[in-house]
Amino acid sequence: PLLLALNGFLMLVALAALFIGWSLKRDPQFKPDALVGKPVPASLVTPLDGGTPVALNSAIRGPALVNVFASWCAPCREENGQLLQVQARGVRVVGLAWKDRPENTRAFLAELGNPFAAVVSDQEGASGVDLGISGVPETFAVDANGLIVAKHTGPLTPGDADRLIRAL
């Protein structure tokens, strides 16, 4: 019984060491960009103003930056000013309100300013899953052919915005 307990303890220590070694080598900033180079999914989204659901890929009409955001997201509030600057540069920006109630999205945009040429709503989160997002905010650069050419996770900085715009 003592030998069996000792073997179990040693196995637990070995697993802990393996896990610690893996986590020390893991880059927490790494986010897979699985859809870069692929077309925008055709998930159904609803225009924020209401109406008939449309395919996400047809709502975007690139070239455009597609910003996935939510009114309840603090970093989304931070990046809104940067998105307004991108819009002022003549870049088409499309908003995808993710897991948000339309009335909350409208209040958010009324308060902070609306940088979007179009806003669609994904209340259930399905199009976010299809895009492979890990949370909000995330921004995608979509070219004129509807291909995702770059992705940024987190709030946009001026440098991030420049990189995405260059990718268009």
Side-chain angles (χ1 to χ4, degrees):
L2 181 60
L3 187 58
L4 188 59
L6 184 60
N7 278 342
F9 176 74
L10 290 174
M11 201 123 118
L12 187 60
V13 168
L15 284 173
L18 185 65
F19 176 75
I20 290 169
W22 172 81
S23 62
L24 289 175
K25 291 181 181 177
R26 186 177 164 272
D27 180 1
Q29 298 300 316
F30 175 75
K31 301 280 191 263
D33 298 334
L35 287 187
V36 171
K38 296 189 166 94
V40 172
S43 314
L44 288 182
V45 292
T46 305
L48 184 61
D49 299 335
T52 307
V54 297
L56 179 61
N57 57 0
S58 69
I60 293 170
R61 295 188 331 268
L65 295 186
V66 179
N67 181 255
V68 185
F69 74 102
S71 65
W72 46 262
C73 162
C76 297
R77 295 181 81 78
E78 290 175 28
E79 82 171 351
N80 196 70
Q82 183 60 46
L83 290 169
L84 287 166
Q85 290 178 15
V86 168
Q87 178 196 47
R89 291 170 63 181
V91 177
R92 186 170 194 281
V93 184
V94 175
L96 173 61
W98 187 67
K99 292 189 174 184
D100 206 1
R101 296 176 58 182
E103 59 271 21
N104 295 344
T105 301
R106 284 190 286 274
F108 173 89
L109 296 173
E111 176 189 346
L112 299 175
N114 186 349
F116 305 118
V119 182
V120 292
S121 179
D122 177 22
Q123 291 185 60
E124 301 302 319
S127 63
V129 170
D130 291 346
L131 281 169
I133 69 167
S134 58
V136 288
E138 289 194 14
T139 306
F140 298 83
V142 177
D143 72 9
N145 298 317
L147 293 178
I148 297 170
V149 293
K151 175 185 174 186
H152 176 75
T153 300
L156 286 177
T157 65
D160 300 325
D162 288 343
R163 180 181 63 80
L164 290 175
I165 292 166
R166 278 193 307 272
L168 292 176

